[in-house]
Every structure is written in structure tokens, then in C-alpha cells.
Amino acid sequence: MTAVRAGVQADPVVSTPYGAVRGRYEHGIAVFRGIPYAAPPFGARRFRPPVPPEPWDGVRDAGSFGSTPPKPPYSEAFAQLLADPVVPGDDCLNLNVWTPEPGPGARLPVLVWLHGGALTRGSSAVPVYDGQTFARDGVVFVSVNYRLGVEGYGLFPDAPANPGLRDQLAALEWVHRTIGAFGGDPGRITLAGQSAGAISIGALLAAPQARGLMRRAVLQSGPPEAFDRDKVRRMVRRMATRLKIPATAAAFAEVDRELLLRVQADVGRLSSPVLGGPTFGIVVDGDLVPRDPLEALVDGDASTDVDLMLGWTSDEYRLWLVPGGLLERVDRLGTVALAGAMARCRCGHEVPRGYRALHPEAGTAEIVGQLVTDHLLRLPLHRLADARPDRSYVYEFAWPSNLPDLGSCHGLELGFVFDTGDVPESRRLAGEGAPQELADAMHGAWVRFATDGDPGWQRWDDSHPVRIFDGGEPHIAHGPRDAEFALWAADLTPAESTPASVPAAGSPTRGTELRSVVRRLRLPGSVRRP
């Protein structure tokens, strides 16, 4: 609701299920920050599923961002490129709302944003994610904080799995129940996210508990997937060994948060999206995640009435390899790095050989990077689009950064999707002089998709139409990566056809080779998928 007194617009006040909140008007947009959707996840609630917040009397101030979940800082190399504000406090399960028309009756489309950060970093307070531009264009925008790292994705024998994903579900339920009071239409909710946020959306798309809570979904540079339970357990056990405690939720709950973050950062230092390693991630739990999300979605064993927009950047891997000089190190390692990538992708030698034939001018690092990107990200999204052609739109972001070597790297599209290229945090990745017309095109497509389900180009079909955003006029390319994808379809990885110098897929020596590559790279800090 709004009020105007003596020519001054009063602060907007909206009622939620737990109490009223007072926001602020900024550039004509009503903004509510730090609204709790669940109780603080500490004390007896640590490592447990979220529970509703305590109701409050009176009107709660929602003028500033709420607390961010515990997380370690990015390494120095990544911190130069990626912003990650920290807001101290316990009440970290909160969300923010930007709306052009607070109050019931407007029935505007809604976009709910899940941030990236490898499920270990990030928050809704990152300036690039300012929802003002979506609200300016008639979309109610909501951004969400959720538990990260061991607090949100540690796997313990005495606690339910995936509490961070359960936080996201609780936030989505809050939005579905409450957003009408902020001018939104609960029947037109689009769930959007990038990287880890997109991976989370894949799991929620397949979750029985989330059915009916969203009308559309956007997966940017993150596929539906379940992580290997043993890898997640290994992270927890390594942390427990460093801390000299049992690998249980009860024992971890007694550890100081800052100490836990330091140990988590140290144990995860050698994890890499290119070469793997122990990690935190969403796991099959028989409940919220009853089976692998991608397989459930491809098989039709999940909701099939959600429109999808899926995509990636042309050079995802450059954000993982350029900081700290890893690109040059991978090139120097040559065939050793290539063997490590094959182990990571569990493919035979014909696949990288085919990539070299298709891209004869590419160096080893580019071959490794594109190989792993296709295996981890593009192929799963391609499979999902193939399974739901009448519901899917696919894009590729191809504009190269104005900064050296980054190319069209992972995360670069965010400033264009949000039309926030003027904030300093966007320029960390894009450099100066990013084209406004590209932001107009991408942001407009996301607004159209959230509004009516059509971003403005051809739906997926047998011709594999991909919308290319590259700084010029957006255009359709048909099957631009089909030649690479065909190599994977033909790869049978028979052990007898693999040279002795390249371990067969699935063999124990592949894991040994992988660990050797990681050690020789001397990875500086975390290079996991942001």
C-alpha cells in the first residue's frame, strides 16, 4: 500500500504472514529488503530444515539488506572479479522484493532469483542483482539468501540432507503465499538463477514438493544435477579430521562459525569445476531430491508444465582458468591436463581428438575448458531441451569481455540480464564500455519470458535453434554446437580402444591422474564454479 501526504510519498508498508514490513521508494520503485522467510538457522536449528520465523508485532523495518549466510571470502584472484558483500548477523534466511505497485490487485509477473557461487559463496546483496530494472519494466522481483557450504550442503548421518535447497523451497513457498500483497501474481512466478542457482532450480523443478509453485524457469550456466554423495561426505570427513571431531551434525554444530569457514575454505582449496575434487552440492536424499534431477526431468518423472529458458556463455571455463594464471599452466601441462580432463569427463580419446579437429587453432587449455564445459553444462541442458522441445528456449551469450583473456566467461552475462552494467561490480568482469544495446536485448528477453513465456525467438525443435547474444543484432544459429555434441554421442569409451597412455573411463588410474594434475597446477585458492 502507498500513501501521499503533503506531496511526499510515504514509505510503503505491506503485510506478510508473520507481520508488516516497511520498505522504501527508490526511483519510484518500492523496495523491501531483508524480510525473513524462515527463522535463523543456528543454535538448535543448525543443520536442520528451515522453520517459519517468529511473528513480530508492529511494523518491521525493511530498508536494508538482511544478514548474509556464513561463507568464506573468494581468493584474491577471484575477488578482483566477483563481488560478495558480507552482512553480519544470524537472521540470514531472508529475501528482498522490488515492486512497481505494492499492494493487492496489480497481479504483475514475478521473477524469483537464486544467486550463484558454487553453493559456497554469493548472496542477494551483490549489487549486480539489483531488482530495480525488472520492477521498472513491470516485473515484481524477489532475490533470496539461502544457507551455503557445509551449513547448507554438508552430508551428515544425523541430519537431513540439502538444508540449503530446503531453504530455497521455503522461500518459494513464501513467495507463492505472499507475493500478491506486493502486487505480484502467484500464478506467474518465474524461478531464475545462474550457475549454482540454476543447478538448484533443476532440483526444484524435479522436486515433488515444489510442484505448482512456479510457472516458468530460467537456468543460466547451470544444469540439473545431483552431486556424488561420496564427494560431499569426503569434504565433511576432511573437515572433521582437521577439526578433530566426529563427522556428525551434532559435533559440527558445536564449532565456531568462523573456524568452520576457515577449515572449509582450506579443504575445498583444490576443488575445481575443470578437474573435480571433493565438493559441496545437492545430493539425492529420497525425499526432496528423490532421484537425479536431470534424469527425472528427461524421463518426464517431474512437472512438465513449466516453460524453460536455458543457456550458457561461449567461454564459461575462462572464469575458472584465467584468474591466477591457470590458463597458462594448463597449456604448459599439455597432454597431462588433457588426460585429467578426460578423467573428469569419463570419455575416450576420440572426443578430445574430435575437438582438436574441429578447432585446430585452439590451445590445450581451450580444448580442456570447452570439453569439460560441454560435459558438465551444455550437454545436460541440451538433453533437457530435447526432452521438452515445446516448452524450451535456448540461448548462448557470446560477447567477449573488454578485459584481457576473459572472453565470454562464466557470469559475464549477469550485468546484461539485469541491465546493471553501470555498477562497478559489473565492470569487474565486463570492463569499460560494455554495449548498452546488448543489455537492452538480454534484459528485454528475460522480462518478456517472465511476463508471457516467450522471450522473442523460436522454441526448441529438431533444428536446434539457439539465440546468440554477441553484441550485434541478436540472431538465431541452428545447431551451433551439434558437431561437438555428436562426438559425445559416438563415444563408447571401450577400454580396448584406449591407448595405454590414456587410462580407460572409470578405471582407478583415472582418479590418480586427476589428483596428479590438480597437484601440478598448484591451484591458488578456490576455483570451483562461481
Side-chain angles (χ1 to χ4, degrees):
M1 63 186 72
T2 62
V4 179
R5 296 178 182 173
V8 177
Q9 196 170 29
D11 290 339
V13 176
V14 171
S15 294
T16 80
Y18 307 105
V21 291
R22 177 182 289 107
R24 303 289 188 272
Y25 277 104
E26 300 174 5
H27 308 290
I29 301 299
V31 185
F32 302 81
R33 295 182 174 93
I35 305 173
Y37 66 83
F42 301 108
R45 293 186 288 266
R46 202 171 183 192
F47 301 109
R48 299 291 162 180
V51 298
E54 289 291 328
W56 57 86
D57 296 325
V59 180
R60 181 183 180 121
D61 186 70
S64 58
F65 285 114
S67 304
T68 51
K71 56 188 175 177
Y74 281 118
S75 66
E76 183 178 350
F78 282 93
Q80 294 176 16
L81 300 173
L82 303 172
D84 199 9
V86 173
V87 181
D90 288 353
D91 209 356
C92 61
L93 299 185
N94 57 67
L95 51 77
N96 319 293
V97 181
W98 283 257
T99 176
E101 296 185 44
R107 309 289 290 183
L108 296 170
V110 180
L111 192 147
V112 179
W113 178 254
L114 300 182
H115 66 80
L119 298 176
T120 59
R121 295 172 174 85
S123 80
S124 64
V126 174
V128 178
Y129 306 149
D130 193 321
Q132 187 269 335
T133 55
F134 279 98
R136 174 198 69 194
D137 295 330
V139 177
V140 177
F141 182 87
V142 182
S143 56
V144 177
N145 281 338
Y146 55 93
R147 277 175 284 182
L148 303 167
V150 71
E151 301 275 0
Y153 298 93
L155 190 56
F156 300 100
D158 56 336
N162 302 315
L165 186 67
R166 295 173 193 274
D167 294 343
Q168 296 168 359
L169 176 62
L172 190 56
E173 290 171 336
W174 185 98
V175 172
H176 196 266
R177 177 183 178 187
T178 310
I179 204 63
F182 292 84
D185 182 352
R188 285 199 291 168
I189 294 174
T190 297
L191 187 58
Q194 185 263 350
S195 194
I199 292 170
S200 301
I201 292 170
L204 291 170
L205 281 169
Q209 296 90 328
R211 290 181 183 177
L213 296 180
M214 71 190 91
R215 179 68 186 82
R216 303 179 181 99
V218 181
L219 282 73
Q220 298 173 217
S221 300
E225 65 179 346
F227 288 67
D228 186 294
R229 291 176 67 94
D230 286 339
K231 285 189 175 182
V232 179
R233 283 198 192 97
R234 206 179 311 151
M235 277 289 283
V236 172
R237 288 170 181 163
R238 289 182 181 183
M239 290 181 66
T241 299
R242 299 283 182 93
L243 293 164
K244 297 181 172 58
I245 61 173
T248 64
F252 272 62
E254 298 298 321
V255 178
D256 174 76
R257 277 180 246 169
E258 293 302 318
L259 174 59
L260 206 58
L261 290 177
R262 290 195 298 272
V263 173
Q264 175 186 304
D266 188 48
V267 169
R269 185 172 57 86
L270 297 184
S271 296
S272 165
V274 176
L275 296 174
T279 186
F280 288 116
I282 296 164
V283 297
V284 172
D285 59 18
D287 172 27
L288 184 58
V289 188
R291 58 180 297 206
D292 180 87
L294 179 61
E295 299 307 320
L297 291 167
V298 168
D299 291 347
D301 186 21
S303 177
T304 58
D305 59 353
V306 177
D307 297 324
L308 303 175
M309 185 160 69
L310 320 166
W312 48 75
T313 72
S314 297
D315 305 308
E316 300 272 3
Y317 70 95
R318 287 185 172 269
L319 185 63
W320 308 328
L321 294 184
V322 168
L326 293 179
L327 197 74
E328 293 80 4
R329 280 180 246 183
V330 170
D331 269 333
R332 285 199 302 270
L333 282 173
T335 56
V336 175
L338 198 58
M342 291 170 61
R344 177 80 166 111
C345 300
R346 306 181 72 83
C347 67
H349 65 285
E350 291 299 334
V351 177
R353 186 175 294 170
Y355 274 66
R356 285 206 181 278
L358 290 169
H359 306 281
E361 303 303 316
T364 298
E366 183 174 352
I367 295 294
V368 166
Q370 297 289 8
L371 189 76
V372 175
T373 299
D374 284 349
H375 170 69
L376 294 179
L377 195 158
R378 295 192 186 110
L379 277 166
L381 291 176
H382 197 272
R383 282 187 65 199
L384 181 55
D386 275 347
R388 302 188 177 201
D390 58 331
R391 291 282 185 181
S392 301
Y393 299 88
V394 179
Y395 74 89
E396 178 167 330
F397 179 82
W399 180 79
S401 171
N402 285 326
L403 297 178
D405 300 322
L406 285 179
S408 305
C409 69
H410 190 72
L412 179 59
E413 86 282 10
L414 289 168
F416 297 90
V417 167
F418 279 83
D419 191 13
T420 51
D422 57 339
V423 304
E425 290 78 7
S426 289
R427 293 197 292 272
R428 289 190 190 185
L429 276 181
E432 300 292 338
Q436 180 60 44
E437 59 272 18
L438 179 56
D440 294 341
M442 291 199 78
H443 178 73
W446 267 242
V447 168
R448 287 191 296 273
F449 185 72
T451 301
D452 59 23
D454 184 352
W457 65 86
Q458 181 182 350
R459 289 179 186 266
W460 193 251
D461 59 24
D462 289 344
S463 71
H464 297 169
V466 177
R467 185 70 152 184
I468 306 295
F469 294 98
D470 60 2
E473 185 69 25
H475 60 280
I476 290 289
H478 291 275
R481 296 185 179 273
D482 282 4
E484 289 89 344
F485 294 165
L487 296 169
W488 296 91
D491 178 46
L492 302 178
T493 61
E496 63 271 14
S497 69
T498 305
S501 60
V502 179
S507 71
T509 53
R510 284 210 161 194
T512 302
E513 184 69 54
L514 199 54
R515 289 189 293 273
S516 172
V517 172
V518 171
R519 284 194 297 269
R520 293 176 68 176
L521 281 172
R522 295 188 178 91
L523 303 180
S526 174
V527 294
R528 296 180 58 219
R529 179 165 39 208

Short mmCIF file of all heavy atoms in Angstrom, two decimals, residues 310-314 378 393-400 408 437-438 441-442 445-446 456-458 460 464-481:
data_model
loop_
_atom_site.label_atom_id
_atom_site.label_comp_id
_atom_site.label_asym_id
_atom_site.label_seq_id
_atom_site.Cartn_x
_atom_site.Cartn_y
_atom_site.Cartn_z
N LEU A 310 16.97 -21.83 -21.25
CA LEU A 310 18.22 -22.47 -20.88
C LEU A 310 19.35 -21.87 -21.69
O LEU A 310 19.17 -21.54 -22.86
CB LEU A 310 18.16 -23.98 -21.16
CG LEU A 310 16.87 -24.72 -20.85
CD1 LEU A 310 16.88 -26.10 -21.50
CD2 LEU A 310 16.68 -24.84 -19.35
N GLY A 311 20.54 -21.74 -21.08
CA GLY A 311 21.64 -21.22 -21.87
C GLY A 311 22.96 -21.23 -21.15
O GLY A 311 23.08 -21.65 -20.00
N TRP A 312 23.96 -20.73 -21.86
CA TRP A 312 25.34 -20.76 -21.40
C TRP A 312 26.11 -19.63 -22.06
O TRP A 312 25.59 -18.92 -22.92
CB TRP A 312 25.98 -22.10 -21.78
CG TRP A 312 25.75 -22.48 -23.23
CD1 TRP A 312 26.35 -21.96 -24.33
CD2 TRP A 312 24.80 -23.45 -23.71
NE1 TRP A 312 25.87 -22.54 -25.48
CE2 TRP A 312 24.92 -23.46 -25.13
CE3 TRP A 312 23.90 -24.33 -23.10
CZ2 TRP A 312 24.14 -24.31 -25.93
CZ3 TRP A 312 23.14 -25.16 -23.90
CH2 TRP A 312 23.26 -25.16 -25.28
N THR A 313 27.35 -19.45 -21.65
CA THR A 313 28.24 -18.50 -22.32
C THR A 313 29.22 -19.27 -23.20
O THR A 313 29.43 -20.47 -23.01
CB THR A 313 29.01 -17.63 -21.31
OG1 THR A 313 30.02 -18.43 -20.67
CG2 THR A 313 28.08 -17.05 -20.25
N SER A 314 29.82 -18.57 -24.15
CA SER A 314 30.70 -19.25 -25.11
C SER A 314 31.99 -19.75 -24.47
O SER A 314 32.55 -20.77 -24.91
CB SER A 314 31.05 -18.29 -26.26
OG SER A 314 29.91 -17.93 -26.99
N ARG A 378 26.69 -27.92 -20.95
CA ARG A 378 25.91 -27.75 -22.17
C ARG A 378 25.16 -29.02 -22.56
O ARG A 378 23.98 -28.96 -22.96
CB ARG A 378 26.81 -27.30 -23.31
CG ARG A 378 27.43 -25.92 -23.10
CD ARG A 378 28.07 -25.41 -24.37
NE ARG A 378 28.78 -24.15 -24.14
CZ ARG A 378 30.12 -24.02 -24.15
NH1 ARG A 378 30.88 -25.08 -24.41
NH2 ARG A 378 30.68 -22.85 -23.93
N TYR A 393 13.34 -22.75 -24.63
CA TYR A 393 14.09 -21.78 -25.44
C TYR A 393 15.55 -21.84 -25.01
O TYR A 393 15.84 -21.94 -23.81
CB TYR A 393 13.56 -20.36 -25.22
CG TYR A 393 12.12 -20.15 -25.61
CD1 TYR A 393 11.10 -20.39 -24.70
CD2 TYR A 393 11.79 -19.71 -26.89
CE1 TYR A 393 9.76 -20.19 -25.04
CE2 TYR A 393 10.46 -19.50 -27.24
CZ TYR A 393 9.44 -19.75 -26.31
OH TYR A 393 8.13 -19.54 -26.66
N VAL A 394 16.47 -21.78 -25.99
CA VAL A 394 17.89 -21.92 -25.70
C VAL A 394 18.64 -20.70 -26.22
O VAL A 394 18.33 -20.18 -27.30
CB VAL A 394 18.46 -23.21 -26.32
CG1 VAL A 394 19.96 -23.34 -26.04
CG2 VAL A 394 17.72 -24.44 -25.77
N TYR A 395 19.63 -20.24 -25.45
CA TYR A 395 20.43 -19.08 -25.86
C TYR A 395 21.91 -19.36 -25.61
O TYR A 395 22.28 -20.27 -24.85
CB TYR A 395 20.02 -17.82 -25.08
CG TYR A 395 20.49 -17.83 -23.64
CD1 TYR A 395 21.74 -17.32 -23.30
CD2 TYR A 395 19.72 -18.39 -22.64
CE1 TYR A 395 22.20 -17.36 -21.99
CE2 TYR A 395 20.16 -18.43 -21.33
CZ TYR A 395 21.40 -17.92 -21.01
OH TYR A 395 21.86 -17.97 -19.71
N GLU A 396 22.77 -18.56 -26.25
CA GLU A 396 24.20 -18.55 -25.95
C GLU A 396 24.66 -17.10 -25.88
O GLU A 396 24.36 -16.30 -26.79
CB GLU A 396 25.01 -19.30 -27.00
CG GLU A 396 26.51 -19.25 -26.75
CD GLU A 396 27.31 -20.23 -27.59
OE1 GLU A 396 26.78 -21.31 -27.95
OE2 GLU A 396 28.49 -19.92 -27.89
N PHE A 397 25.38 -16.76 -24.81
CA PHE A 397 25.94 -15.42 -24.65
C PHE A 397 27.37 -15.45 -25.19
O PHE A 397 28.22 -16.19 -24.68
CB PHE A 397 25.94 -15.02 -23.18
CG PHE A 397 26.53 -13.67 -22.91
CD1 PHE A 397 25.78 -12.52 -23.09
CD2 PHE A 397 27.85 -13.54 -22.50
CE1 PHE A 397 26.32 -11.27 -22.84
CE2 PHE A 397 28.40 -12.29 -22.25
CZ PHE A 397 27.64 -11.16 -22.42
N ALA A 398 27.64 -14.66 -26.23
CA ALA A 398 28.92 -14.78 -26.94
C ALA A 398 29.74 -13.50 -26.95
O ALA A 398 30.81 -13.47 -27.56
CB ALA A 398 28.66 -15.23 -28.38
N TRP A 399 29.29 -12.44 -26.31
CA TRP A 399 30.06 -11.19 -26.31
C TRP A 399 31.30 -11.35 -25.42
O TRP A 399 31.19 -11.75 -24.26
CB TRP A 399 29.20 -10.04 -25.80
CG TRP A 399 29.91 -8.71 -25.78
CD1 TRP A 399 30.14 -7.88 -26.81
CD2 TRP A 399 30.48 -8.07 -24.61
NE1 TRP A 399 30.83 -6.77 -26.39
CE2 TRP A 399 31.05 -6.86 -25.05
CE3 TRP A 399 30.57 -8.42 -23.26
CZ2 TRP A 399 31.70 -5.99 -24.17
CZ3 TRP A 399 31.22 -7.56 -22.38
CH2 TRP A 399 31.77 -6.35 -22.84
N PRO A 400 32.50 -11.04 -25.92
CA PRO A 400 33.70 -11.18 -25.09
C PRO A 400 33.94 -9.96 -24.22
O PRO A 400 33.76 -8.82 -24.65
CB PRO A 400 34.81 -11.34 -26.13
CG PRO A 400 34.31 -10.58 -27.32
CD PRO A 400 32.81 -10.71 -27.32
N SER A 408 34.02 -14.68 -23.31
CA SER A 408 32.61 -14.73 -22.87
C SER A 408 32.52 -15.68 -21.69
O SER A 408 31.98 -16.78 -21.79
CB SER A 408 31.71 -15.20 -24.02
OG SER A 408 31.89 -14.39 -25.17
N GLU A 437 23.15 -1.72 -25.93
CA GLU A 437 22.15 -2.39 -26.77
C GLU A 437 22.09 -3.89 -26.47
O GLU A 437 21.03 -4.52 -26.61
CB GLU A 437 22.44 -2.16 -28.25
CG GLU A 437 23.79 -2.63 -28.75
CD GLU A 437 24.89 -1.58 -28.60
OE1 GLU A 437 24.72 -0.62 -27.82
OE2 GLU A 437 25.93 -1.74 -29.29
N LEU A 438 23.20 -4.48 -26.03
CA LEU A 438 23.19 -5.89 -25.65
C LEU A 438 22.40 -6.08 -24.36
O LEU A 438 21.62 -7.04 -24.23
CB LEU A 438 24.62 -6.41 -25.50
CG LEU A 438 24.78 -7.87 -25.08
CD1 LEU A 438 24.06 -8.80 -26.03
CD2 LEU A 438 26.27 -8.24 -24.98
N ALA A 441 18.75 -5.91 -25.15
CA ALA A 441 18.25 -7.13 -25.79
C ALA A 441 18.08 -8.26 -24.78
O ALA A 441 17.04 -8.94 -24.76
CB ALA A 441 19.20 -7.56 -26.91
N MET A 442 19.09 -8.48 -23.92
CA MET A 442 19.01 -9.60 -22.97
C MET A 442 17.99 -9.32 -21.88
O MET A 442 17.13 -10.16 -21.57
CB MET A 442 20.38 -9.87 -22.37
CG MET A 442 21.39 -10.44 -23.34
SD MET A 442 22.76 -11.26 -22.50
CE MET A 442 22.03 -12.82 -22.02
N ALA A 445 14.55 -9.73 -23.15
CA ALA A 445 14.15 -11.13 -23.35
C ALA A 445 13.73 -11.76 -22.02
O ALA A 445 12.73 -12.49 -21.96
CB ALA A 445 15.30 -11.91 -23.97
N TRP A 446 14.47 -11.47 -20.95
CA TRP A 446 14.12 -12.03 -19.65
C TRP A 446 12.78 -11.46 -19.15
O TRP A 446 11.97 -12.18 -18.57
CB TRP A 446 15.23 -11.76 -18.64
CG TRP A 446 16.26 -12.85 -18.52
CD1 TRP A 446 16.53 -13.57 -17.39
CD2 TRP A 446 17.16 -13.35 -19.52
NE1 TRP A 446 17.54 -14.49 -17.63
CE2 TRP A 446 17.94 -14.37 -18.93
CE3 TRP A 446 17.38 -13.02 -20.86
CZ2 TRP A 446 18.92 -15.08 -19.63
CZ3 TRP A 446 18.36 -13.73 -21.57
CH2 TRP A 446 19.11 -14.73 -20.96
N GLY A 456 11.08 -14.15 -27.26
CA GLY A 456 11.21 -13.44 -28.53
C GLY A 456 11.93 -14.20 -29.61
O GLY A 456 12.34 -13.60 -30.61
N TRP A 457 12.11 -15.52 -29.44
CA TRP A 457 12.71 -16.28 -30.53
C TRP A 457 12.08 -17.67 -30.59
O TRP A 457 11.20 -18.02 -29.80
CB TRP A 457 14.23 -16.37 -30.39
CG TRP A 457 14.78 -17.11 -29.21
CD1 TRP A 457 15.02 -18.45 -29.11
CD2 TRP A 457 15.20 -16.54 -27.96
NE1 TRP A 457 15.57 -18.75 -27.88
CE2 TRP A 457 15.69 -17.60 -27.16
CE3 TRP A 457 15.22 -15.25 -27.44
CZ2 TRP A 457 16.18 -17.41 -25.87
CZ3 TRP A 457 15.71 -15.05 -26.15
CH2 TRP A 457 16.19 -16.11 -25.39
N GLN A 458 12.53 -18.45 -31.53
CA GLN A 458 11.94 -19.73 -31.86
C GLN A 458 12.10 -20.74 -30.72
O GLN A 458 13.17 -20.88 -30.13
CB GLN A 458 12.61 -20.25 -33.14
CG GLN A 458 12.12 -21.58 -33.67
CD GLN A 458 12.91 -22.00 -34.90
OE1 GLN A 458 13.69 -21.21 -35.45
NE2 GLN A 458 12.71 -23.22 -35.34
N TRP A 460 12.57 -24.47 -29.11
CA TRP A 460 13.46 -25.58 -29.46
C TRP A 460 12.74 -26.59 -30.34
O TRP A 460 11.57 -26.91 -30.10
CB TRP A 460 13.95 -26.24 -28.19
CG TRP A 460 15.10 -27.19 -28.34
CD1 TRP A 460 15.07 -28.55 -28.23
CD2 TRP A 460 16.47 -26.87 -28.59
NE1 TRP A 460 16.32 -29.10 -28.40
CE2 TRP A 460 17.21 -28.07 -28.63
CE3 TRP A 460 17.14 -25.66 -28.79
CZ2 TRP A 460 18.58 -28.11 -28.85
CZ3 TRP A 460 18.52 -25.70 -29.02
CH2 TRP A 460 19.21 -26.90 -29.05
N HIS A 464 17.39 -27.28 -33.65
CA HIS A 464 18.22 -26.78 -32.55
C HIS A 464 18.49 -25.27 -32.65
O HIS A 464 19.65 -24.84 -32.73
CB HIS A 464 19.53 -27.55 -32.48
CG HIS A 464 19.35 -29.01 -32.18
ND1 HIS A 464 20.36 -29.93 -32.29
CD2 HIS A 464 18.25 -29.71 -31.79
CE1 HIS A 464 19.91 -31.13 -31.98
NE2 HIS A 464 18.63 -31.03 -31.66
N PRO A 465 17.44 -24.46 -32.62
CA PRO A 465 17.65 -23.00 -32.70
C PRO A 465 18.21 -22.43 -31.40
O PRO A 465 17.68 -22.69 -30.31
CB PRO A 465 16.23 -22.47 -32.96
CG PRO A 465 15.33 -23.50 -32.35
CD PRO A 465 16.02 -24.82 -32.53
N VAL A 466 19.30 -21.68 -31.50
CA VAL A 466 19.95 -21.07 -30.35
C VAL A 466 20.03 -19.56 -30.59
O VAL A 466 20.59 -19.12 -31.61
CB VAL A 466 21.36 -21.65 -30.12
CG1 VAL A 466 22.04 -20.95 -28.95
CG2 VAL A 466 21.28 -23.16 -29.87
N ARG A 467 19.50 -18.78 -29.68
CA ARG A 467 19.59 -17.33 -29.79
C ARG A 467 20.99 -16.89 -29.37
O ARG A 467 21.44 -17.20 -28.25
CB ARG A 467 18.56 -16.68 -28.88
CG ARG A 467 18.47 -15.16 -29.00
CD ARG A 467 17.87 -14.74 -30.31
NE ARG A 467 17.18 -13.44 -30.22
CZ ARG A 467 16.51 -12.91 -31.21
NH1 ARG A 467 16.39 -13.56 -32.36
NH2 ARG A 467 15.91 -11.74 -31.08
N ILE A 468 21.69 -16.21 -30.23
CA ILE A 468 23.05 -15.76 -29.96
C ILE A 468 23.03 -14.28 -29.57
O ILE A 468 22.55 -13.44 -30.33
CB ILE A 468 23.97 -15.96 -31.18
CG1 ILE A 468 23.91 -17.41 -31.68
CG2 ILE A 468 25.40 -15.54 -30.85
CD1 ILE A 468 24.45 -18.43 -30.70
N PHE A 469 23.53 -13.98 -28.38
CA PHE A 469 23.70 -12.61 -27.91
C PHE A 469 25.19 -12.29 -27.94
O PHE A 469 25.96 -12.76 -27.10
CB PHE A 469 23.18 -12.45 -26.49
CG PHE A 469 21.69 -12.63 -26.35
CD1 PHE A 469 21.15 -13.84 -25.94
CD2 PHE A 469 20.83 -11.58 -26.62
CE1 PHE A 469 19.78 -13.99 -25.80
CE2 PHE A 469 19.45 -11.72 -26.49
CZ PHE A 469 18.92 -12.94 -26.08
N ASP A 470 25.62 -11.50 -28.96
CA ASP A 470 27.05 -11.29 -29.13
C ASP A 470 27.45 -9.83 -29.33
O ASP A 470 28.57 -9.53 -29.74
CB ASP A 470 27.57 -12.13 -30.30
CG ASP A 470 26.91 -11.77 -31.63
OD1 ASP A 470 26.07 -10.85 -31.66
OD2 ASP A 470 27.23 -12.43 -32.64
N GLY A 471 26.57 -8.91 -29.04
CA GLY A 471 26.91 -7.50 -29.20
C GLY A 471 26.37 -6.90 -30.47
O GLY A 471 26.18 -5.69 -30.56
N GLY A 472 26.15 -7.74 -31.49
CA GLY A 472 25.50 -7.27 -32.69
C GLY A 472 24.00 -7.48 -32.55
O GLY A 472 23.46 -7.59 -31.47
N GLU A 473 23.33 -7.56 -33.66
CA GLU A 473 21.91 -7.85 -33.63
C GLU A 473 21.71 -9.30 -33.19
O GLU A 473 22.29 -10.21 -33.78
CB GLU A 473 21.30 -7.65 -35.02
CG GLU A 473 19.79 -7.80 -35.06
CD GLU A 473 19.07 -6.68 -34.34
OE1 GLU A 473 19.65 -5.58 -34.21
OE2 GLU A 473 17.92 -6.91 -33.90
N PRO A 474 20.94 -9.56 -32.12
CA PRO A 474 20.70 -10.95 -31.71
C PRO A 474 20.13 -11.76 -32.87
O PRO A 474 19.29 -11.27 -33.63
CB PRO A 474 19.68 -10.81 -30.58
CG PRO A 474 19.89 -9.43 -30.04
CD PRO A 474 20.26 -8.60 -31.24
N HIS A 475 20.61 -12.97 -33.04
CA HIS A 475 20.21 -13.78 -34.17
C HIS A 475 20.12 -15.24 -33.77
O HIS A 475 20.61 -15.63 -32.71
CB HIS A 475 21.19 -13.61 -35.34
CG HIS A 475 22.59 -14.03 -34.99
ND1 HIS A 475 23.46 -13.21 -34.28
CD2 HIS A 475 23.28 -15.17 -35.25
CE1 HIS A 475 24.62 -13.83 -34.11
NE2 HIS A 475 24.54 -15.02 -34.69
N ILE A 476 19.52 -16.04 -34.62
CA ILE A 476 19.39 -17.47 -34.38
C ILE A 476 20.46 -18.22 -35.16
O ILE A 476 20.67 -17.98 -36.35
CB ILE A 476 17.99 -17.98 -34.80
CG1 ILE A 476 16.92 -17.47 -33.84
CG2 ILE A 476 17.97 -19.51 -34.85
CD1 ILE A 476 16.96 -18.09 -32.47
N ALA A 477 21.15 -19.13 -34.46
CA ALA A 477 22.04 -20.09 -35.11
C ALA A 477 21.45 -21.47 -34.88
O ALA A 477 21.02 -21.79 -33.76
CB ALA A 477 23.45 -20.00 -34.53
N HIS A 478 21.42 -22.28 -35.89
CA HIS A 478 20.83 -23.61 -35.78
C HIS A 478 21.94 -24.64 -35.52
O HIS A 478 22.85 -24.81 -36.33
CB HIS A 478 20.04 -23.97 -37.04
CG HIS A 478 18.80 -23.15 -37.20
ND1 HIS A 478 17.61 -23.50 -36.60
CD2 HIS A 478 18.57 -21.99 -37.86
CE1 HIS A 478 16.69 -22.58 -36.90
NE2 HIS A 478 17.25 -21.67 -37.66
N GLY A 479 21.87 -25.28 -34.37
CA GLY A 479 22.83 -26.32 -34.02
C GLY A 479 24.27 -25.86 -33.98
O GLY A 479 25.14 -26.56 -34.54
N PRO A 480 24.59 -24.71 -33.35
CA PRO A 480 25.97 -24.21 -33.41
C PRO A 480 26.98 -25.13 -32.73
O PRO A 480 28.18 -25.02 -33.02
CB PRO A 480 25.88 -22.86 -32.69
CG PRO A 480 24.69 -22.97 -31.80
CD PRO A 480 23.72 -23.82 -32.56
N ARG A 481 26.55 -26.02 -31.86
CA ARG A 481 27.48 -26.93 -31.19
C ARG A 481 27.15 -28.40 -31.45
O ARG A 481 27.63 -29.29 -30.74
CB ARG A 481 27.49 -26.64 -29.68
CG ARG A 481 28.03 -25.25 -29.37
CD ARG A 481 28.18 -24.97 -27.89
NE ARG A 481 28.71 -23.62 -27.69
CZ ARG A 481 29.99 -23.30 -27.68
NH1 ARG A 481 30.91 -24.25 -27.84
NH2 ARG A 481 30.38 -22.05 -27.50
#
